[in-house]
mmCIF file of all heavy atoms in Angstrom:
data_model
loop_
_atom_site.group_PDB
_atom_site.id
_atom_site.type_symbol
_atom_site.label_atom_id
_atom_site.label_comp_id
_atom_site.label_asym_id
_atom_site.label_seq_id
_atom_site.Cartn_x
_atom_site.Cartn_y
_atom_site.Cartn_z
ATOM 1 N N ARG A 1 25.844 102.178 93.347
ATOM 2 C CA ARG A 1 27.125 101.537 93.050
ATOM 3 C C ARG A 1 27.169 100.941 91.648
ATOM 4 O O ARG A 1 28.212 100.466 91.226
ATOM 5 C CB ARG A 1 27.399 100.415 94.067
ATOM 6 C CG ARG A 1 27.381 100.891 95.502
ATOM 7 C CD ARG A 1 27.744 99.768 96.439
ATOM 8 N NE ARG A 1 27.645 100.196 97.830
ATOM 9 C CZ ARG A 1 28.218 99.579 98.838
ATOM 10 N NH1 ARG A 1 28.938 98.508 98.623
ATOM 11 N NH2 ARG A 1 28.082 100.019 100.065
ATOM 12 N N ILE A 2 26.058 100.899 90.956
ATOM 13 C CA ILE A 2 26.045 100.264 89.648
ATOM 14 C C ILE A 2 25.498 101.217 88.593
ATOM 15 O O ILE A 2 24.587 101.993 88.846
ATOM 16 C CB ILE A 2 25.229 98.946 89.657
ATOM 17 C CG1 ILE A 2 23.793 99.186 90.091
ATOM 18 C CG2 ILE A 2 25.884 97.913 90.548
ATOM 19 C CD1 ILE A 2 22.937 97.951 90.032
ATOM 20 N N SER A 3 26.103 101.147 87.418
ATOM 21 C CA SER A 3 25.771 102.087 86.342
ATOM 22 C C SER A 3 24.351 101.917 85.844
ATOM 23 O O SER A 3 23.764 102.850 85.287
ATOM 24 C CB SER A 3 26.747 101.899 85.174
ATOM 25 O OG SER A 3 26.668 100.581 84.659
ATOM 26 N N LEU A 4 23.783 100.723 86.052
ATOM 27 C CA LEU A 4 22.454 100.434 85.553
ATOM 28 C C LEU A 4 21.422 101.456 86.031
ATOM 29 O O LEU A 4 20.506 101.834 85.297
ATOM 30 C CB LEU A 4 22.046 99.029 86.011
ATOM 31 C CG LEU A 4 20.755 98.447 85.470
ATOM 32 C CD1 LEU A 4 20.823 98.329 83.956
ATOM 33 C CD2 LEU A 4 20.489 97.095 86.096
ATOM 34 N N PHE A 5 21.565 101.924 87.275
ATOM 35 C CA PHE A 5 20.570 102.816 87.858
ATOM 36 C C PHE A 5 21.099 104.235 88.067
ATOM 37 O O PHE A 5 20.475 105.030 88.782
ATOM 38 C CB PHE A 5 20.088 102.247 89.200
ATOM 39 C CG PHE A 5 19.455 100.891 89.099
ATOM 40 C CD1 PHE A 5 20.056 99.788 89.678
ATOM 41 C CD2 PHE A 5 18.273 100.713 88.403
ATOM 42 C CE1 PHE A 5 19.475 98.527 89.575
ATOM 43 C CE2 PHE A 5 17.689 99.458 88.305
ATOM 44 C CZ PHE A 5 18.292 98.359 88.893
ATOM 45 N N GLU A 6 22.228 104.564 87.446
ATOM 46 C CA GLU A 6 22.829 105.864 87.718
ATOM 47 C C GLU A 6 21.979 107.031 87.197
ATOM 48 O O GLU A 6 22.113 108.162 87.665
ATOM 49 C CB GLU A 6 24.236 105.941 87.109
ATOM 50 C CG GLU A 6 24.259 105.853 85.601
ATOM 51 C CD GLU A 6 25.674 105.799 85.041
ATOM 52 O OE1 GLU A 6 26.626 105.740 85.837
ATOM 53 O OE2 GLU A 6 25.811 105.814 83.820
ATOM 54 N N SER A 7 21.082 106.757 86.220
ATOM 55 C CA SER A 7 20.247 107.825 85.688
ATOM 56 C C SER A 7 19.073 108.167 86.606
ATOM 57 O O SER A 7 18.396 109.178 86.420
ATOM 58 C CB SER A 7 19.713 107.450 84.298
ATOM 59 O OG SER A 7 18.895 106.296 84.365
ATOM 60 N N LEU A 8 18.833 107.330 87.609
ATOM 61 C CA LEU A 8 17.746 107.596 88.545
ATOM 62 C C LEU A 8 18.125 108.691 89.523
ATOM 63 O O LEU A 8 19.287 108.806 89.926
ATOM 64 C CB LEU A 8 17.398 106.332 89.328
ATOM 65 C CG LEU A 8 16.869 105.128 88.556
ATOM 66 C CD1 LEU A 8 16.579 103.985 89.517
ATOM 67 C CD2 LEU A 8 15.637 105.477 87.758
ATOM 68 N N SER A 9 17.150 109.486 89.915
ATOM 69 C CA SER A 9 17.388 110.485 90.952
ATOM 70 C C SER A 9 17.581 109.772 92.285
ATOM 71 O O SER A 9 17.269 108.583 92.431
ATOM 72 C CB SER A 9 16.201 111.443 91.051
ATOM 73 O OG SER A 9 15.061 110.754 91.563
ATOM 74 N N PHE A 10 18.079 110.517 93.263
ATOM 75 C CA PHE A 10 18.275 109.938 94.594
ATOM 76 C C PHE A 10 16.958 109.408 95.146
ATOM 77 O O PHE A 10 16.900 108.315 95.717
ATOM 78 C CB PHE A 10 18.856 110.989 95.545
ATOM 79 C CG PHE A 10 19.057 110.489 96.948
ATOM 80 C CD1 PHE A 10 20.175 109.747 97.294
ATOM 81 C CD2 PHE A 10 18.097 110.733 97.924
ATOM 82 C CE1 PHE A 10 20.348 109.270 98.592
ATOM 83 C CE2 PHE A 10 18.260 110.262 99.220
ATOM 84 C CZ PHE A 10 19.390 109.531 99.545
ATOM 85 N N ASP A 11 15.881 110.180 94.976
ATOM 86 C CA ASP A 11 14.582 109.754 95.499
ATOM 87 C C ASP A 11 14.085 108.491 94.799
ATOM 88 O O ASP A 11 13.481 107.620 95.438
ATOM 89 C CB ASP A 11 13.552 110.884 95.337
ATOM 90 C CG ASP A 11 13.788 112.025 96.324
ATOM 91 O OD1 ASP A 11 14.468 111.789 97.339
ATOM 92 O OD2 ASP A 11 13.312 113.142 96.063
ATOM 93 N N GLU A 12 14.335 108.381 93.490
ATOM 94 C CA GLU A 12 13.921 107.187 92.756
ATOM 95 C C GLU A 12 14.714 105.967 93.215
ATOM 96 O O GLU A 12 14.165 104.874 93.375
ATOM 97 C CB GLU A 12 14.088 107.412 91.252
ATOM 98 C CG GLU A 12 13.033 108.348 90.665
ATOM 99 C CD GLU A 12 13.340 108.746 89.236
ATOM 100 O OE1 GLU A 12 14.534 108.851 88.875
ATOM 101 O OE2 GLU A 12 12.386 108.965 88.472
ATOM 102 N N GLN A 13 16.014 106.163 93.422
ATOM 103 C CA GLN A 13 16.831 105.061 93.931
ATOM 104 C C GLN A 13 16.371 104.664 95.334
ATOM 105 O O GLN A 13 16.283 103.480 95.663
ATOM 106 C CB GLN A 13 18.302 105.470 93.963
ATOM 107 C CG GLN A 13 18.918 105.636 92.579
ATOM 108 C CD GLN A 13 20.416 105.846 92.654
ATOM 109 O OE1 GLN A 13 21.094 105.246 93.460
ATOM 110 N NE2 GLN A 13 20.933 106.705 91.789
ATOM 111 N N LYS A 14 16.075 105.666 96.141
ATOM 112 C CA LYS A 14 15.637 105.407 97.510
ATOM 113 C C LYS A 14 14.327 104.618 97.517
ATOM 114 O O LYS A 14 14.141 103.699 98.319
ATOM 115 C CB LYS A 14 15.471 106.731 98.253
ATOM 116 C CG LYS A 14 15.307 106.595 99.755
ATOM 117 C CD LYS A 14 15.332 107.958 100.419
ATOM 118 C CE LYS A 14 15.159 107.829 101.933
ATOM 119 N NZ LYS A 14 15.160 109.165 102.576
ATOM 120 N N GLU A 15 13.440 104.968 96.584
ATOM 121 C CA GLU A 15 12.162 104.262 96.478
ATOM 122 C C GLU A 15 12.381 102.801 96.110
ATOM 123 O O GLU A 15 11.759 101.894 96.683
ATOM 124 C CB GLU A 15 11.285 104.936 95.422
ATOM 125 C CG GLU A 15 9.948 104.239 95.185
ATOM 126 C CD GLU A 15 9.188 104.825 94.004
ATOM 127 O OE1 GLU A 15 9.587 105.891 93.504
ATOM 128 O OE2 GLU A 15 8.202 104.193 93.587
ATOM 129 N N LEU A 16 13.295 102.576 95.173
ATOM 130 C CA LEU A 16 13.588 101.209 94.736
ATOM 131 C C LEU A 16 14.184 100.387 95.867
ATOM 132 O O LEU A 16 13.790 99.243 96.114
ATOM 133 C CB LEU A 16 14.553 101.267 93.545
ATOM 134 C CG LEU A 16 14.649 100.049 92.626
ATOM 135 C CD1 LEU A 16 13.298 99.684 92.037
ATOM 136 C CD2 LEU A 16 15.650 100.322 91.519
ATOM 137 N N ILE A 17 15.140 100.983 96.584
ATOM 138 C CA ILE A 17 15.831 100.276 97.665
ATOM 139 C C ILE A 17 14.914 100.049 98.866
ATOM 140 O O ILE A 17 15.045 99.049 99.579
ATOM 141 C CB ILE A 17 17.097 101.058 98.079
ATOM 142 C CG1 ILE A 17 18.137 100.971 96.969
ATOM 143 C CG2 ILE A 17 17.669 100.520 99.377
ATOM 144 C CD1 ILE A 17 18.523 99.564 96.599
ATOM 145 N N SER A 18 13.967 100.956 99.084
ATOM 146 C CA SER A 18 13.062 100.797 100.234
ATOM 147 C C SER A 18 12.224 99.536 100.123
ATOM 148 O O SER A 18 11.741 98.999 101.124
ATOM 149 C CB SER A 18 12.151 102.025 100.355
ATOM 150 O OG SER A 18 11.218 102.064 99.284
ATOM 151 N N LYS A 19 12.053 99.034 98.889
ATOM 152 C CA LYS A 19 11.263 97.828 98.659
ATOM 153 C C LYS A 19 12.140 96.577 98.562
ATOM 154 O O LYS A 19 11.629 95.465 98.378
ATOM 155 C CB LYS A 19 10.444 97.982 97.377
ATOM 156 C CG LYS A 19 9.487 99.169 97.413
ATOM 157 C CD LYS A 19 8.824 99.373 96.062
ATOM 158 C CE LYS A 19 7.912 100.592 96.083
ATOM 159 N NZ LYS A 19 7.306 100.856 94.752
ATOM 160 N N ALA A 20 13.460 96.773 98.658
ATOM 161 C CA ALA A 20 14.396 95.652 98.488
ATOM 162 C C ALA A 20 14.646 94.939 99.815
ATOM 163 O O ALA A 20 14.354 95.460 100.894
ATOM 164 C CB ALA A 20 15.713 96.155 97.914
ATOM 165 N N GLN A 21 15.209 93.730 99.702
ATOM 166 C CA GLN A 21 15.686 93.006 100.877
ATOM 167 C C GLN A 21 17.180 93.237 101.013
ATOM 168 O O GLN A 21 17.917 93.148 100.026
ATOM 169 C CB GLN A 21 15.429 91.506 100.734
ATOM 170 C CG GLN A 21 13.987 91.081 100.884
ATOM 171 C CD GLN A 21 13.852 89.575 100.819
ATOM 172 O OE1 GLN A 21 14.337 88.946 99.887
ATOM 173 N NE2 GLN A 21 13.191 88.984 101.795
ATOM 174 N N HIS A 22 17.643 93.527 102.231
ATOM 175 C CA HIS A 22 19.063 93.741 102.498
ATOM 176 C C HIS A 22 19.522 92.630 103.447
ATOM 177 O O HIS A 22 19.139 92.599 104.607
ATOM 178 C CB HIS A 22 19.295 95.125 103.104
ATOM 179 C CG HIS A 22 18.560 96.219 102.386
ATOM 180 N ND1 HIS A 22 18.891 96.622 101.116
ATOM 181 C CD2 HIS A 22 17.496 96.963 102.759
ATOM 182 C CE1 HIS A 22 18.073 97.585 100.728
ATOM 183 N NE2 HIS A 22 17.210 97.806 101.705
ATOM 184 N N LEU A 23 20.324 91.705 102.920
ATOM 185 C CA LEU A 23 20.679 90.501 103.668
ATOM 186 C C LEU A 23 22.188 90.356 103.814
ATOM 187 O O LEU A 23 22.942 90.764 102.928
ATOM 188 C CB LEU A 23 20.128 89.259 102.956
ATOM 189 C CG LEU A 23 18.613 89.216 102.721
ATOM 190 C CD1 LEU A 23 18.255 88.015 101.858
ATOM 191 C CD2 LEU A 23 17.861 89.167 104.046
ATOM 192 N N ASP A 24 22.613 89.775 104.927
ATOM 193 C CA ASP A 24 24.020 89.468 105.166
ATOM 194 C C ASP A 24 24.183 87.952 105.295
ATOM 195 O O ASP A 24 23.304 87.256 105.796
ATOM 196 C CB ASP A 24 24.517 90.158 106.440
ATOM 197 C CG ASP A 24 24.504 91.672 106.313
ATOM 198 O OD1 ASP A 24 25.093 92.185 105.355
ATOM 199 O OD2 ASP A 24 23.880 92.325 107.169
ATOM 200 N N PHE A 25 25.351 87.453 104.831
ATOM 201 C CA PHE A 25 25.593 86.013 104.795
ATOM 202 C C PHE A 25 26.975 85.685 105.343
ATOM 203 O O PHE A 25 27.876 86.522 105.365
ATOM 204 C CB PHE A 25 25.495 85.488 103.355
ATOM 205 C CG PHE A 25 24.137 85.643 102.738
ATOM 206 C CD1 PHE A 25 23.811 86.783 102.026
ATOM 207 C CD2 PHE A 25 23.189 84.650 102.872
ATOM 208 C CE1 PHE A 25 22.556 86.925 101.454
ATOM 209 C CE2 PHE A 25 21.927 84.780 102.308
ATOM 210 C CZ PHE A 25 21.615 85.923 101.595
ATOM 211 N N GLN A 26 27.123 84.433 105.753
ATOM 212 C CA GLN A 26 28.418 83.879 106.146
ATOM 213 C C GLN A 26 28.899 82.921 105.056
ATOM 214 O O GLN A 26 28.146 82.559 104.147
ATOM 215 C CB GLN A 26 28.299 83.137 107.482
ATOM 216 C CG GLN A 26 27.850 84.006 108.636
ATOM 217 C CD GLN A 26 28.819 85.136 108.935
ATOM 218 O OE1 GLN A 26 30.039 84.910 108.983
ATOM 219 N NE2 GLN A 26 28.301 86.336 109.132
ATOM 220 N N LYS A 27 30.150 82.504 105.146
ATOM 221 C CA LYS A 27 30.730 81.604 104.150
ATOM 222 C C LYS A 27 29.891 80.330 104.016
ATOM 223 O O LYS A 27 29.546 79.696 105.014
ATOM 224 C CB LYS A 27 32.166 81.239 104.534
ATOM 225 C CG LYS A 27 32.865 80.360 103.500
ATOM 226 C CD LYS A 27 34.323 80.120 103.875
ATOM 227 C CE LYS A 27 35.015 79.262 102.817
ATOM 228 N NZ LYS A 27 36.438 79.026 103.136
ATOM 229 N N GLY A 28 29.584 79.974 102.777
ATOM 230 C CA GLY A 28 28.845 78.761 102.500
ATOM 231 C C GLY A 28 27.337 78.919 102.482
ATOM 232 O O GLY A 28 26.614 77.999 102.061
ATOM 233 N N ASP A 29 26.834 80.070 102.931
ATOM 234 C CA ASP A 29 25.383 80.293 102.905
ATOM 235 C C ASP A 29 24.879 80.410 101.469
ATOM 236 O O ASP A 29 25.551 80.999 100.612
ATOM 237 C CB ASP A 29 25.016 81.588 103.643
ATOM 238 C CG ASP A 29 25.167 81.480 105.147
ATOM 239 O OD1 ASP A 29 25.252 80.339 105.645
ATOM 240 O OD2 ASP A 29 25.182 82.527 105.820
ATOM 241 N N ALA A 30 23.708 79.887 101.222
ATOM 242 C CA ALA A 30 23.078 80.005 99.903
ATOM 243 C C ALA A 30 22.227 81.266 99.858
ATOM 244 O O ALA A 30 21.380 81.484 100.720
ATOM 245 C CB ALA A 30 22.221 78.782 99.617
ATOM 246 N N VAL A 31 22.472 82.096 98.840
ATOM 247 C CA VAL A 31 21.644 83.285 98.631
ATOM 248 C C VAL A 31 20.372 82.875 97.896
ATOM 249 O O VAL A 31 19.274 83.307 98.225
ATOM 250 C CB VAL A 31 22.404 84.353 97.819
ATOM 251 C CG1 VAL A 31 21.553 85.609 97.662
ATOM 252 C CG2 VAL A 31 23.735 84.686 98.484
ATOM 253 N N PHE A 32 20.522 82.022 96.894
ATOM 254 C CA PHE A 32 19.377 81.413 96.221
ATOM 255 C C PHE A 32 19.824 80.116 95.558
ATOM 256 O O PHE A 32 21.024 79.829 95.470
ATOM 257 C CB PHE A 32 18.724 82.366 95.205
ATOM 258 C CG PHE A 32 19.656 82.928 94.158
ATOM 259 C CD1 PHE A 32 20.140 82.145 93.114
ATOM 260 C CD2 PHE A 32 20.027 84.265 94.190
ATOM 261 C CE1 PHE A 32 20.984 82.670 92.146
ATOM 262 C CE2 PHE A 32 20.867 84.796 93.223
ATOM 263 C CZ PHE A 32 21.345 83.999 92.202
ATOM 264 N N HIS A 33 18.858 79.333 95.105
ATOM 265 C CA HIS A 33 19.138 78.042 94.495
ATOM 266 C C HIS A 33 18.625 78.005 93.060
ATOM 267 O O HIS A 33 17.679 78.716 92.694
ATOM 268 C CB HIS A 33 18.465 76.906 95.281
ATOM 269 C CG HIS A 33 18.981 76.738 96.670
ATOM 270 N ND1 HIS A 33 18.394 77.340 97.761
ATOM 271 C CD2 HIS A 33 20.044 76.043 97.150
ATOM 272 C CE1 HIS A 33 19.062 77.023 98.854
ATOM 273 N NE2 HIS A 33 20.066 76.242 98.513
ATOM 274 N N GLU A 34 19.268 77.151 92.270
ATOM 275 C CA GLU A 34 18.780 76.878 90.927
ATOM 276 C C GLU A 34 17.318 76.428 91.003
ATOM 277 O O GLU A 34 16.938 75.688 91.900
ATOM 278 C CB GLU A 34 19.645 75.771 90.310
ATOM 279 C CG GLU A 34 19.339 75.446 88.872
ATOM 280 C CD GLU A 34 20.239 74.346 88.324
ATOM 281 O OE1 GLU A 34 21.130 73.890 89.070
ATOM 282 O OE2 GLU A 34 20.052 73.954 87.170
ATOM 283 N N LYS A 35 16.512 76.937 90.077
ATOM 284 C CA LYS A 35 15.073 76.648 89.977
ATOM 285 C C LYS A 35 14.231 77.489 90.934
ATOM 286 O O LYS A 35 12.997 77.364 90.948
ATOM 287 C CB LYS A 35 14.757 75.159 90.193
ATOM 288 C CG LYS A 35 15.494 74.208 89.255
ATOM 289 C CD LYS A 35 15.219 74.504 87.799
ATOM 290 C CE LYS A 35 15.922 73.504 86.893
ATOM 291 N NZ LYS A 35 15.758 73.826 85.456
ATOM 292 N N ASP A 36 14.860 78.343 91.777
ATOM 293 C CA ASP A 36 14.070 79.304 92.553
ATOM 294 C C ASP A 36 13.388 80.272 91.592
ATOM 295 O O ASP A 36 13.858 80.469 90.458
ATOM 296 C CB ASP A 36 14.974 80.095 93.507
ATOM 297 C CG ASP A 36 15.323 79.327 94.773
ATOM 298 O OD1 ASP A 36 14.771 78.218 94.962
ATOM 299 O OD2 ASP A 36 16.145 79.828 95.562
ATOM 300 N N PRO A 37 12.301 80.916 92.009
ATOM 301 C CA PRO A 37 11.634 81.891 91.138
ATOM 302 C C PRO A 37 12.587 83.014 90.723
ATOM 303 O O PRO A 37 13.336 83.543 91.549
ATOM 304 C CB PRO A 37 10.497 82.434 92.016
ATOM 305 C CG PRO A 37 10.242 81.354 93.015
ATOM 306 C CD PRO A 37 11.581 80.731 93.289
ATOM 307 N N ALA A 38 12.564 83.352 89.440
ATOM 308 C CA ALA A 38 13.435 84.418 88.914
ATOM 309 C C ALA A 38 12.699 85.739 89.023
ATOM 310 O O ALA A 38 12.237 86.313 88.038
ATOM 311 C CB ALA A 38 13.815 84.112 87.464
ATOM 312 N N ASP A 39 12.590 86.235 90.248
ATOM 313 C CA ASP A 39 11.772 87.422 90.486
ATOM 314 C C ASP A 39 12.541 88.578 91.110
ATOM 315 O O ASP A 39 11.954 89.527 91.610
ATOM 316 C CB ASP A 39 10.580 87.066 91.379
ATOM 317 C CG ASP A 39 11.010 86.517 92.748
ATOM 318 O OD1 ASP A 39 12.225 86.286 92.945
ATOM 319 O OD2 ASP A 39 10.124 86.315 93.590
ATOM 320 N N LYS A 40 13.881 88.517 91.074
ATOM 321 C CA LYS A 40 14.654 89.593 91.708
ATOM 322 C C LYS A 40 16.048 89.699 91.101
ATOM 323 O O LYS A 40 16.551 88.753 90.487
ATOM 324 C CB LYS A 40 14.755 89.353 93.223
ATOM 325 C CG LYS A 40 15.336 88.008 93.608
ATOM 326 C CD LYS A 40 15.311 87.794 95.115
ATOM 327 C CE LYS A 40 13.936 87.501 95.639
ATOM 328 N NZ LYS A 40 13.464 86.137 95.289
ATOM 329 N N ILE A 41 16.659 90.863 91.268
ATOM 330 C CA ILE A 41 18.058 91.087 90.918
ATOM 331 C C ILE A 41 18.861 91.141 92.215
ATOM 332 O O ILE A 41 18.429 91.748 93.199
ATOM 333 C CB ILE A 41 18.234 92.404 90.135
ATOM 334 C CG1 ILE A 41 17.851 92.213 88.667
ATOM 335 C CG2 ILE A 41 19.680 92.904 90.207
ATOM 336 C CD1 ILE A 41 18.030 93.458 87.831
ATOM 337 N N MET A 42 20.020 90.493 92.204
ATOM 338 C CA MET A 42 20.915 90.523 93.366
ATOM 339 C C MET A 42 22.048 91.511 93.116
ATOM 340 O O MET A 42 22.752 91.422 92.116
ATOM 341 C CB MET A 42 21.498 89.127 93.607
ATOM 342 C CG MET A 42 22.558 89.076 94.690
ATOM 343 S SD MET A 42 23.216 87.396 94.943
ATOM 344 C CE MET A 42 24.016 87.088 93.355
ATOM 345 N N VAL A 43 22.205 92.474 94.017
ATOM 346 C CA VAL A 43 23.310 93.440 93.968
ATOM 347 C C VAL A 43 24.248 93.144 95.136
ATOM 348 O O VAL A 43 23.787 93.010 96.278
ATOM 349 C CB VAL A 43 22.803 94.894 94.065
ATOM 350 C CG1 VAL A 43 23.974 95.875 94.029
ATOM 351 C CG2 VAL A 43 21.824 95.198 92.943
ATOM 352 N N ILE A 44 25.544 93.021 94.857
ATOM 353 C CA ILE A 44 26.515 92.702 95.913
ATOM 354 C C ILE A 44 26.923 93.984 96.634
ATOM 355 O O ILE A 44 27.491 94.884 96.039
ATOM 356 C CB ILE A 44 27.771 92.016 95.337
ATOM 357 C CG1 ILE A 44 27.393 90.935 94.326
ATOM 358 C CG2 ILE A 44 28.620 91.441 96.473
ATOM 359 C CD1 ILE A 44 26.473 89.876 94.846
ATOM 360 N N ARG A 45 26.618 94.062 97.929
ATOM 361 C CA ARG A 45 27.022 95.217 98.738
ATOM 362 C C ARG A 45 28.477 95.099 99.170
ATOM 363 O O ARG A 45 29.224 96.072 99.162
ATOM 364 C CB ARG A 45 26.137 95.336 99.987
ATOM 365 C CG ARG A 45 24.716 95.705 99.657
ATOM 366 C CD ARG A 45 23.810 95.929 100.854
ATOM 367 N NE ARG A 45 24.388 95.809 102.161
ATOM 368 C CZ ARG A 45 24.116 94.808 103.015
ATOM 369 N NH1 ARG A 45 23.314 93.818 102.665
ATOM 370 N NH2 ARG A 45 24.656 94.788 104.209
ATOM 371 N N TYR A 46 28.882 93.908 99.594
ATOM 372 C CA TYR A 46 30.277 93.648 99.967
ATOM 373 C C TYR A 46 30.512 92.153 99.926
ATOM 374 O O TYR A 46 29.571 91.363 99.935
ATOM 375 C CB TYR A 46 30.597 94.226 101.359
ATOM 376 C CG TYR A 46 29.883 93.546 102.506
ATOM 377 C CD1 TYR A 46 30.463 92.456 103.167
ATOM 378 C CD2 TYR A 46 28.636 93.991 102.939
ATOM 379 C CE1 TYR A 46 29.807 91.830 104.222
ATOM 380 C CE2 TYR A 46 27.977 93.367 103.988
ATOM 381 C CZ TYR A 46 28.571 92.302 104.628
ATOM 382 O OH TYR A 46 27.921 91.674 105.664
ATOM 383 N N GLY A 47 31.783 91.768 99.859
ATOM 384 C CA GLY A 47 32.127 90.353 99.816
ATOM 385 C C GLY A 47 32.069 89.782 98.407
ATOM 386 O O GLY A 47 32.011 90.521 97.418
#
């Protein structure tokens, strides 16, 4: 869904996503907080 990784093959994208966390949230839930470790990129699937 994002141009950043569009040059990757399907298998390369699949490899990247297989190691990712896929999380769902409700209104008001915190995805992360200020000062948390900066060790990941967040991609919005919906909402």
Side-chain angles (χ1 to χ4, degrees):
R1 303 184 184 199
I2 58 176
S3 60
L4 187 61
F5 300 114
E6 64 185 5
S7 62
L8 297 180
S9 68
F10 179 82
D11 287 340
E12 287 170 328
Q13 291 188 38
K14 192 173 180 181
E15 177 188 349
L16 200 57
I17 290 303
S18 69
K19 301 173 182 177
Q21 287 184 308
H22 314 291
L23 302 173
D24 295 306
F25 297 91
Q26 299 298 315
K27 183 175 181 179
D29 288 344
V31 182
F32 55 73
H33 296 94
E34 185 180 357
K35 304 302 182 184
D36 280 354
D39 60 353
K40 56 184 74 73
I41 280 181
M42 174 180 65
V43 179
I44 315 304
R45 292 184 2 250
Y46 67 90

